[in-house]
Structure formats: structure tokens, C-alpha cells
Amino acid sequence: MSDLKEKRIKKLKRKRIWPSIVGLFVIAFVLIIVVVAILGMYIADMVDRKLHEGYKISCNVAEYVVQNLSDLSADELQKHIEFNDSINAIVVFDSNDEIVWSNSDTIPNIDNELIYTDESGMYQNNFCLILESDDKLIFEIDKENIRLSENLLNIVRYKEFLFDEDLLSRESHVPVVETKVWMVVNYDEYKVLVLNNISVVKSELFIIVATFIMMMLLTAVLVVYYILSIIGVAKSQKRITKILYTDMVTGGYNWLHFTKKGDKLLKKSKGIYKYAIVALRMEKYRSFCTCFGVKEGEELLEKIYSALKHTIKKKENLAHHDEADFGLMLMYTSEDDLTNRINSLYEYLGSVAPKIKIKFRFGVCMADDKDKEVDSLYNNATTALDLMPEDTDEKIASYDIEMKKQQLWERKVEDDMDKALVTKQFKLYLQPKYSTKDEKLAGAEALVRWIHPTEGFISPNKFIPIFEKNGFILQLDDYMLEEVALQQSKWQEEGKELFPISVNVSRAHFTRDDLAEHICGIVDKYNIPHNVIELELTESAFFDDKYVLIDTVKQLRDYGFIVSMDDFGAGYSSLNSLKELSIDVLKIDADFFRGTDSVERGMLIVSEVINLAKKLDMKIVAEGIENKEQVEFLTAQECDLIQGYYYAKPLPVEEFEEKYG
């Protein structure tokens, strides 16, 4: 699988569930911390405010008491001062820490006097306190000061508040939680201690508890919403994955799932299991669709997939690949075991559509320890499948070392071909054509040879089929045409006699509407006559788009080029092509002159073809001629030109010039 495709798939599947779950716990934890923090700040502010209000009242009381200390009694204090409900007692100390006045038996221990620290900084007013008890519900004490407890939420005994009937029956102003605190006020030379009661009443506790419950409910709603979002993401991810891995024809798993799962199985096997990748192909699927319809064809593929699925084991793999091809990943113990299983599959698949005769073929590639990519192995299996002869009765083809060598060779050819063209590794060879009248040179055919820097001489049959398959033949043909035009131009400048040199034009060229102009553009750069260039086309090109071919041939002849039909009689011979195409030269294929059992019949056909060509005003070239008897026969039949090893093999330009210069 390509890196780009892998990235796109990862992007589709990027949303994972576990980050959302972790996020849920983090958000819930943060929300609870925020709720507790806000509630704690509210309670701390409430207590802090009560303390400062109490201290303010205590300062007023201290001022009044000290100013009236000489004639003040408890009754007078009660009479003249409107006590706050939170004040319980007053004690006045002189500068020697002796009690000079008190209205209560409750006496504080002034040695426990500590500074109260306003950590919030809201009031910016610190003062001295003495705790009446060791109750640390609201305050914490260290060696130097008193501060609000970090555990202030403990005063919110909401469970007791919600379920304690005694608490619920109290008046709203009755304290629910309280702590006694002596406020220390220094006035003149006196120290006045006022005992305050810091309390939380029922109404205040109700507000705190209600706020807490509302905030927790809000937190719960957010958490539930987030959980539902996670469930939605999980369902969405499952739906995306299902779509991503579903084949639209069979409804089963598609090729992406096959490769992903297959690669994992190969990695996990570690030599414990032997795997074979099988390419299964239903023969003549298009013919089936033509006869019965595309819908019926897809329904048949669905039945085939279902049948195959019933035969697949847990640690095996199956998917529809393309058109009527399926990929299977089968475990096996021996090659015989695998062959028997494939034969059983073949018999079983025959029952899918019992009324219709369906043929299947299997390409097989064994996975070894080095092969870890299913795509590559399947490609090898399809290579074995494609190389099976069409007329064979065999139904299983195994990918072997020779096929692998061929694949490696094709890869090397494709890797080197562009550089070879630029560095002129493709060399022009010329094979002479002799006239039958005087047995003199009358023309030549341009042939290409590849002189590779490391591989040396490479025969055309080892690279031309590859170029025809990958389309590079178009560039090579243009290159050879230019080389021939360049050579003709050189000979023209040297004053040598020019003769026609034939150059192959592959059938792929005839997809161009401007082919004639394109060829003219190449040749005209060298200022040579068009009639010294002969353009050879194969008869098979007639069966692509004959109207384009006919029109292009006419244009080429109008431009003055010689047009010939190569390999006439090589398998596609049609008298209709001779009727439709106006060509100048007909080349009779060498196969007519080979063999021993049908020489006489071949010669008879050649004789009639020559007579027919003469009547159509065509020149005749016989190629592949290797002996004197063939030359004498063709001369007697008035064949125009002979090409073959009898006269000369293909020669490099330098040798050709030495011999015929």
C-alpha cells in the first residue's frame, strides 16, 4: 500500500476512543475540583466576613467599655450596649495582663493569643484571636498564626442537613455549626477580649448545600453529555470502519481489509503457519454479464464470496479484489495439501450456479519468511495466473523462481529505460534488403539493439514486449525514427546514394490524431526527402480503430512517406485490411517459409499473395529468408525484395557502412 493511501486511511481512523475516555476522567476530576474550590472559596469568604464583622463590633464594644470602665457594671453594659447575638463575654486586661473587668466567668488564656492571617487579602486587616476550644473545624493553628482551615467544606454537613429531622425543624436563624473565638482589641493601655460566636445558621447552610447540589448536578450533566458523545464517537468510528472495509459488490470485506489483516497474519505467523496467497478468477465474467446482465453478474459474485467464506478458517483471509477476481490467504502443511484443497474449492464453487457452467483458475504464491506484504504476494499470484495459456486445461498455476526472475528483469528494464534513451544506449542496426532482379542492396530495415553498460547486448525480444506493455515504445519509436533521419541526413551530406530505410511505427501511435504531422516534425529537422523513410505498421493496428488508421495512412502517403504492412499473415491476416488500406509495400511474414510439414502449402499461399499484391500495385518484401531455395522460389514469383540471413544479418551502422559504403 502506498504511503499516501496509508496516511489517508489513518486520517479517517484518527479518532480513537481511549483519548475520549481519559478525557472524561480528566474533565470529571477537574469539574469536581472546581466545584469544591468554588464552594470552599464561598464558605471561606463567608467565615472571613463574619470574623471581620465580629472584629468591627468588638472594637466598638472595647471602646465603650474602656471609656466607661470606672463606673461600668455588667448590668450597665447590658443596659447601655445593644449586644450582637454573636457576643458571649467581655474581659478587660491591664498592661500587666491582670483582669480589671469582666462580665463573665469565662476567662481566656491570653498566652494562646495568635494573629489571624487574612490569606485572601480581600480585607487587608489582620488581628489577634484566641480559640476557645481545640476544634479545628474552621481554623488551623500553627506556631505563629491562625488561618482558615483548608477543609472548610466539613462545616457543610449536608447529609445530616438533608436527613436530620432535628436540623430541619430548627428556625432559619438557629446556628447549625459554630465555633467560639476571642477577639483581641488593644485600646489605650488596656487589652479587651470579646468572645464571639462564629456560626453557620440553617438558612446559610441551605444556600451552601443547594449551591453544592446544583453544581454537582451541572457536573453530572456535563459528564453524561460527554459519555454520550464518546458513545456517539464509538458508533461513528465503527460505522466508518465498516464502510471503509466493505466491498460494494459482495457486501463482504474489501481488498483494504484483506491486505491489513493479511499483513498482520504474516507477521504473527513467525514460521509457525505456512501461508499461500491464492488469486482466484472466474473465467469469462464479462461474457456472463453480457448474456445475463450486470446485476445478475454481481449477484453471482456475491454467491461466490459467500461460498468461499464458508470454507475459510479463523486464521485465514478472503476478499473480493477486482471484477471477478478474489484473493484468498490459506494455511497449508504441504504443497499436496494445498493443491487438494484448491481442487476441493473448485468442485465446491461449481455448485454455486449448477445450471451454468462456470470455470475458475487459480494463481498461487507461497509466502516465505522474507515476504511480509500481501499485496506483493497477490501480485505474484496474478502473474502466475496471467501467464497461464488460454487453451490449457490446467486450473492451477504456481508462481516460481523463473517468474520472479522475469519480474525482476522487467523492473530493471523499467528502471533503466529512461536513462538508456538519454545516454543513447539504444543503437541503430540496419538489416539489408536485396532486390531479386540484380541481387543488389535496395533498402534496409532499422532495428534497435540495447547495449547496456552492465548487461551488455540485450536482444529486442527481452525489452520490446515490456515497452509495448508500459507505453515506452512510443518514445523508442520516435528515437529510432530520429536516428534513421539523422543517418540519412549524414549520408546525404556525404553525397552518398540514399535508399529507403523502414522504421517501425507501433500500433499505440495511432491513438494520436496528429501522428502524420508528428512524424513530419521529426523528419523535417534533417532536411531529407520523405520517400527515403518507410513507415512499417503491423496488421494488428487495423483492428483497433481502422478509420483513424486509414486516415493517418492516407496523410502519411500524401506527405510522401512510403507505408508498408509488416508481418502480413502472422495471425491477423485479413483481405479486408488490404481492401481498406492504401499501402505501398507488403511484407510477408517469415513463418510462411518455416517448417517442414507444410512447405508446399506455404509456398502456394505466398505465390498467390504476391500475385494479389502485384494486382494491387504493391511491392513485396519477403523477410526471414535463410536459404538459396527460398531465394530462387521468390525470384521466380517476381517478389521485389528479400530480407534475411541468407544475404545479411542486422549490422551496426559502422559495419553497414564498411560493407555497403
Side-chain angles (χ1 to χ4, degrees):
M1 183 184 299
S2 67
D3 293 339
L4 181 59
K5 189 175 180 181
E6 188 73 33
K7 285 179 182 178
R8 286 177 176 172
I9 293 168
K10 285 182 178 179
K11 189 175 181 180
L12 280 174
K13 299 176 68 180
R14 186 172 291 169
K15 267 196 172 181
R16 299 177 183 271
I17 301 302
W18 66 263
S20 300
I21 295 173
V22 172
L24 171 63
F25 284 106
V26 170
I27 288 174
F29 177 76
V30 169
L31 285 173
I32 292 171
I33 293 297
V34 169
V35 169
V36 172
I38 292 173
L39 203 57
M41 289 171 62
Y42 173 78
I43 297 171
D45 179 67
M46 179 184 68
V47 174
D48 203 50
R49 187 176 65 253
K50 286 176 178 289
L51 281 172
H52 282 82
E53 288 175 355
Y55 183 71
K56 186 176 180 181
I57 294 171
S58 297
C59 288
N60 293 332
V61 170
E63 181 182 3
Y64 182 83
V65 169
V66 172
Q67 289 178 354
N68 298 280
L69 189 60
S70 59
D71 56 352
L72 188 63
S73 65
D75 292 336
E76 286 294 320
L77 184 66
Q78 182 67 33
K79 182 178 179 181
H80 292 90
I81 298 177
E82 184 179 351
F83 274 96
N84 188 287
D85 292 339
S86 63
I87 297 177
N88 298 113
I90 302 171
V91 179
V92 181
F93 290 86
D94 60 15
S95 58
N96 296 320
D97 292 336
E98 298 292 335
I99 298 175
V100 295
W101 188 89
S102 174
N103 72 336
S104 172
D105 295 334
T106 305
I107 305 299
N109 184 359
I110 60 175
D111 293 334
N112 293 334
E113 178 184 330
L114 293 172
I115 297 173
Y116 167 70
T117 302
D118 177 16
E119 293 183 338
S120 68
M122 292 181 63
Y123 300 96
Q124 298 180 350
N125 187 13
N126 295 342
F127 45 82
C128 292
L129 294 178
I130 300 174
L131 295 181
E132 176 65 20
S133 66
D134 293 333
D135 186 5
K136 295 186 179 181
L137 186 64
I138 297 178
F139 299 102
E140 289 181 350
I141 304 171
D142 59 24
K143 293 180 180 180
E144 297 179 355
N145 57 42
I146 300 172
R147 63 179 181 272
L148 292 178
S149 171
E150 293 180 359
N151 199 21
L152 278 171
L153 279 177
N154 285 332
I155 67 172
V156 187
R157 304 178 188 278
Y158 60 90
K159 289 186 179 179
E160 296 178 13
F161 177 73
L162 292 175
F163 301 107
D164 193 324
E165 293 183 1
D166 181 54
L167 281 175
L168 293 173
S169 64
R170 294 186 189 183
E171 296 290 336
S172 62
H173 63 278
V174 176
V176 177
V177 180
E178 60 183 11
T179 297
K180 296 183 184 302
V181 178
W182 288 96
M183 301 282 184
V184 181
V185 181
N186 293 308
Y187 193 85
D188 291 341
E189 71 271 17
Y190 298 101
K191 183 180 289 186
V192 181
L193 276 69
V194 182
L195 183 61
N196 281 260
N197 197 30
I198 306 302
S199 62
V200 178
V201 299
K202 178 182 175 183
S203 59
E204 292 173 327
L205 185 59
F206 179 83
I207 293 172
I208 294 171
V209 172
T211 303
F212 179 75
I213 291 173
M214 288 178 65
M215 294 184 74
M216 290 305 294
L217 283 173
L218 178 61
T219 301
V221 169
L222 290 173
V223 169
V224 169
Y225 174 78
Y226 204 81
I227 290 172
L228 292 175
S229 297
I230 291 173
I231 294 171
V233 170
K235 288 183 177 179
S236 176
Q237 190 63 45
K238 188 175 180 181
R239 196 179 303 115
I240 289 172
T241 302
K242 186 175 181 180
I243 294 171
L244 195 64
Y245 289 145
T246 299
D247 179 70
M248 294 297 104
V249 176
T250 63
Y253 286 123
N254 62 10
W255 196 249
L256 177 61
H257 180 271
F258 183 83
T259 55
K260 298 288 257 185
K261 180 182 177 181
D263 289 341
K264 288 179 181 178
L265 288 173
L266 286 178
K267 288 178 182 178
K268 289 180 180 179
S269 66
K270 296 179 181 179
I272 301 173
Y273 307 108
K274 290 182 179 180
Y275 279 106
I277 305 299
V278 179
L280 183 154
R281 178 174 297 163
M282 173 188 165
E283 294 290 296
K284 299 181 179 179
Y285 173 71
R286 292 187 181 182
S287 298
F288 180 90
C289 291
T290 301
C291 295
F292 300 99
V294 175
K295 184 179 179 181
E296 286 73 12
E298 290 183 348
E299 288 177 354
L300 177 60
L301 294 179
E302 190 175 349
K303 290 178 181 178
I304 292 171
Y305 180 87
S306 298
L308 290 171
K309 189 176 179 181
H310 284 96
T311 67
I312 295 299
K313 300 174 184 177
K314 184 177 180 181
K315 291 185 178 180
E316 295 181 337
N317 205 3
L318 163 68
H320 174 235
H321 182 248
D322 182 40
E323 203 170 61
D325 289 4
F326 293 84
L328 297 93
M329 186 174 179
L330 306 178
M331 291 189 295
Y332 70 98
T333 54
S334 65
E335 292 188 19
D336 289 340
D337 168 57
L338 180 62
T339 301
N340 291 335
R341 186 171 178 190
I342 291 174
N343 286 327
S344 299
L345 271 176
Y346 185 85
E347 297 297 328
Y348 181 61
L349 290 173
S351 63
V352 171
K355 296 181 180 180
I356 305 170
K357 189 175 182 180
I358 306 174
K359 285 188 176 182
F360 297 93
R361 289 191 178 188
F362 301 82
V364 181
C365 180
M366 311 296 184
D368 56 31
D369 295 336
K370 296 179 182 178
D371 294 320
K372 294 298 180 184
E373 290 188 1
V374 168
D375 260 334
S376 175
L377 294 167
Y378 181 81
N379 183 64
N380 295 341
T382 54
T383 298
L385 195 61
D386 293 337
L387 291 176
M388 290 180 72
E390 292 185 5
D391 55 352
T392 182
D393 291 330
E394 296 292 329
K395 53 183 176 287
I396 302 174
S398 295
Y399 180 78
D400 56 25
I401 189 66
E402 292 303 320
M403 294 179 186
K404 188 168 186 177
K405 285 180 180 179
Q406 179 61 26
Q407 279 189 314
L408 292 173
W409 172 250
E410 288 185 12
R411 181 64 181 271
K412 179 172 179 57
V413 167
E414 291 182 341
D415 288 343
D416 295 348
M417 61 189 185
D418 290 309
K419 184 179 179 181
L421 197 67
V422 173
T423 58
K424 292 185 174 292
Q425 295 174 22
F426 297 110
K427 300 299 182 182
L428 173 63
Y429 276 56
L430 297 173
Q431 186 171 27
K433 297 177 184 177
Y434 278 77
S435 170
T436 56
K437 293 181 180 179
D438 50 16
E439 294 193 14
K440 289 183 178 181
L441 180 69
E445 180 179 2
L447 300 170
V448 63
R449 300 293 184 264
W450 188 353
I451 312 301
H452 195 278
T454 57
E455 299 293 329
F457 181 88
I458 303 176
S459 177
N461 61 2
K462 295 188 70 176
F463 62 86
I464 292 294
I466 300 172
F467 291 169
E468 288 176 339
K469 187 166 60 175
N470 64 24
F472 190 73
I473 192 68
L474 299 175
Q475 297 180 56
L476 183 61
D477 282 356
D478 288 350
Y479 171 85
M480 289 299 294
L481 178 60
E482 189 152 1
E483 288 292 296
V484 169
L486 176 63
Q487 189 60 51
Q488 292 278 44
S489 175
K490 179 184 174 185
W491 287 338
Q492 182 174 258
E493 290 176 0
E494 293 173 354
K496 295 181 179 179
E497 182 183 355
L498 301 183
F499 47 82
I501 297 179
S502 58
V503 183
N504 184 65
V505 181
S506 301
R507 61 191 293 184
H509 279 286
F510 290 93
T511 57
R512 295 185 60 149
D513 294 332
D514 63 339
L515 179 59
E517 291 80 2
H518 175 71
I519 291 174
C520 280
I522 294 174
V523 174
D524 289 346
K525 289 190 296 184
Y526 300 95
N527 298 316
I528 59 172
H530 289 180
N531 62 2
V532 297
I533 300 293
E534 180 181 326
L535 301 170
E536 289 189 2
L537 55 96
T538 57
E539 190 182 9
S540 58
F542 185 78
F543 297 93
D544 292 330
D545 189 333
K546 71 175 184 178
Y547 298 107
V548 172
L549 179 63
I550 291 169
D551 184 59
T552 303
V553 168
K554 182 180 182 304
Q555 291 180 43
L556 290 170
R557 295 187 73 210
D558 289 343
Y559 280 123
F561 293 104
I562 301 171
V563 180
S564 63
M565 182 181 290
D566 192 17
D567 298 333
F568 183 81
Y572 290 94
S573 293
S574 169
L575 294 178
N576 190 50
S577 63
L578 294 180
K579 177 177 76 73
E580 299 282 354
L581 284 174
S582 297
I583 57 176
D584 302 294
V585 180
L586 189 66
K587 293 188 73 173
I588 301 175
D589 188 69
D591 283 345
F592 280 108
F593 307 101
R594 293 177 183 148
T596 56
D597 297 335
S598 56
V599 174
E600 291 185 5
R601 293 173 64 87
M603 293 302 183
L604 179 60
I605 293 172
V606 169
S607 177
E608 294 301 322
V609 169
I610 291 174
N611 289 332
L612 178 62
K614 290 290 184 182
K615 292 177 181 179
L616 293 174
D617 196 26
M618 298 179 186
K619 283 188 175 182
I620 302 296
V621 177
E623 57 182 346
I625 305 305
E626 299 178 348
N627 57 59
K628 187 176 181 180
E629 290 76 11
Q630 293 171 343
V631 172
E632 290 175 348
F633 169 78
L634 291 168
T635 302
Q637 299 300 318
E638 297 184 357
C639 177
D640 296 294
L641 299 173
I642 292 176
Q643 176 184 339
Y645 275 30
Y646 177 77
Y647 285 111
K649 64 180 182 178
L651 300 170
V653 174
E654 295 79 8
E655 293 184 23
F656 186 90
E657 288 181 318
E658 287 179 9
K659 186 172 182 179
Y660 301 103

